[in-house]
Amino acid sequence: MSEKQSQEAHETDRRITIRWKGMLALSIISIALGLFVEWPSPQEASVPNTSSFLIILGGLLCAIGLLTALRRG
């Protein structure tokens, strides 16, 4: 590998690492908000509860972040 290709590969790995760490941080924040913040109940019955939505969103972000980390690991 030439020096330029090696440097580009290192830069790509660094960007992917930042992305999956960011996804995991967002998932932890959204799960914490869903668990520890008292949200008012929705006005409409068809609208999902905010805390359950944040917990599900956090779980999905966590799964995506971990899959991204495993893909490059």
Side-chain angles (χ1 to χ4, degrees):
M1 239 186 216
S2 71
E3 180 66 29
K4 186 176 181 178
Q5 288 176 336
S6 176
Q7 189 175 16
E8 287 177 1
H10 178 68
E11 182 67 24
T12 302
D13 287 342
R14 187 183 68 79
R15 287 180 182 166
I16 290 174
T17 301
I18 290 171
R19 285 180 187 150
W20 73 261
K21 286 181 181 179
M23 284 185 207
L24 290 179
L26 287 174
S27 70
I28 290 170
I29 290 169
S30 65
I31 290 173
L33 284 172
L35 290 175
F36 299 117
V37 175
E38 190 71 31
W39 299 96
S41 60
Q43 299 297 324
E44 298 179 27
S46 63
V47 176
N49 192 0
T50 304
S51 61
S52 62
F53 172 75
L54 287 173
I55 292 170
I56 292 169
L57 179 67
L60 289 173
L61 281 173
C62 184
I64 292 169
L66 290 174
L67 287 174
T68 303
L70 290 174
R71 190 181 115 214
R72 293 302 287 182

